Amino acid sequence: MAADTRESQSSRPSPSPSDASVSTGKTYDTFNYPATADNINSLPGANGKNSRGPPASAGITDALKSIKIDDFKEVHKKPSPIFTACSWAVGAFAFGSFAMHEYCQQKRRLEKAGIQRINAALDEKKIELEKKQEEKRKARRKAKEEADR
């Protein structure tokens, strides 16, 4: 086996006081070593936050430059993610349409039942009103007949 070329624990730089003030947790203090040439985790050209250095900005033009006409000519040769995506799209549309249809039908049923209850109540009130009017007519006729005698 090859020998371990890493430095021992005692040669690691200690965290700066500003780093320790951020957190008082033991784990944070143990693993928060600045990225220096002495640190085994630092890479050449790294900024200490990740191993790739500062992120490069990518724009729309960079994305458009990466598209080639041959990509469109060979779409039919690609595996089936397009067909799978289309199948999922159609299935999701069908399921969504079915669910919305059932939801609307349920709302219509509830509204229809409410209208039937209202109509039944109106019919009962109409019958009561007609009875009262008939009683008033009978009372007027009776009063007129007594007055005519």
Side-chain angles (χ1 to χ4, degrees), residues 103-146:
Y103 175 74
C104 289
Q105 290 298 319
Q106 180 63 21
K107 285 194 67 121
R108 286 184 68 208
R109 282 186 222 112
L110 291 173
E111 186 176 356
K112 187 176 181 181
I115 290 172
Q116 287 175 346
R117 277 187 268 127
I118 290 171
N119 284 338
L122 287 176
D123 289 342
E124 289 175 9
K125 285 184 180 183
K126 185 177 179 182
I127 291 171
E128 289 176 16
L129 183 62
E130 286 176 356
K131 285 181 182 179
K132 286 181 183 179
Q133 287 176 349
E134 187 63 33
E135 289 174 7
K136 285 181 183 179
R137 283 187 204 130
K138 286 181 182 178
R140 274 191 245 135
R141 283 183 190 155
K142 194 174 192 181
K144 188 175 181 182
E145 285 176 2
E146 288 179 7

Side-chain angles (χ1 to χ4, degrees), residues 1 8 12 16 21 24 26 38 47-48 73 84 94 129 135 137 145 149:
M1 279 193 121
S8 65
R12 282 189 183 168
S16 65
S21 66
T24 58
K26 210 172 191 180
D38 297 337
N47 65 358
K73 290 180 181 177
T84 303
L129 183 62
E135 289 174 7
R137 283 187 204 130
E145 285 176 2
R149 283 190 198 171

Side-chain angles (χ1 to χ4, degrees), residues 1-54:
M1 279 193 121
D4 191 5
T5 59
R6 291 183 284 178
E7 297 176 21
S8 65
Q9 292 277 359
S10 61
S11 65
R12 282 189 183 168
S14 62
S16 65
S18 64
D19 291 338
S21 66
V22 173
S23 173
T24 58
K26 210 172 191 180
T27 305
Y28 180 80
D29 294 338
T30 303
F31 293 108
N32 187 28
Y33 292 105
T36 61
D38 297 337
N39 190 348
I40 190 71
N41 293 325
S42 66
L43 297 173
N47 65 358
K49 294 183 180 174
N50 60 29
S51 62
R52 294 183 180 176

Side-chain angles (χ1 to χ4, degrees), residues 58-119:
I60 295 175
T61 55
D62 296 329
L64 292 176
K65 287 178 186 176
S66 69
I67 299 173
K68 300 173 188 164
I69 294 181
D70 293 335
D71 294 338
F72 292 106
K73 290 180 181 177
E74 297 180 1
V75 167
H76 64 282
K77 295 180 182 177
K78 303 281 183 197
S80 64
I82 294 172
F83 299 113
T84 303
C86 290
S87 296
W88 275 100
V90 169
F93 175 76
F95 177 75
S97 297
F98 174 74
M100 197 58 177
H101 175 73
E102 288 301 316
Y103 175 74
C104 289
Q105 290 298 319
Q106 180 63 21
K107 285 194 67 121
R108 286 184 68 208
R109 282 186 222 112
L110 291 173
E111 186 176 356
K112 187 176 181 181
I115 290 172
Q116 287 175 346
R117 277 187 268 127
I118 290 171
N119 284 338

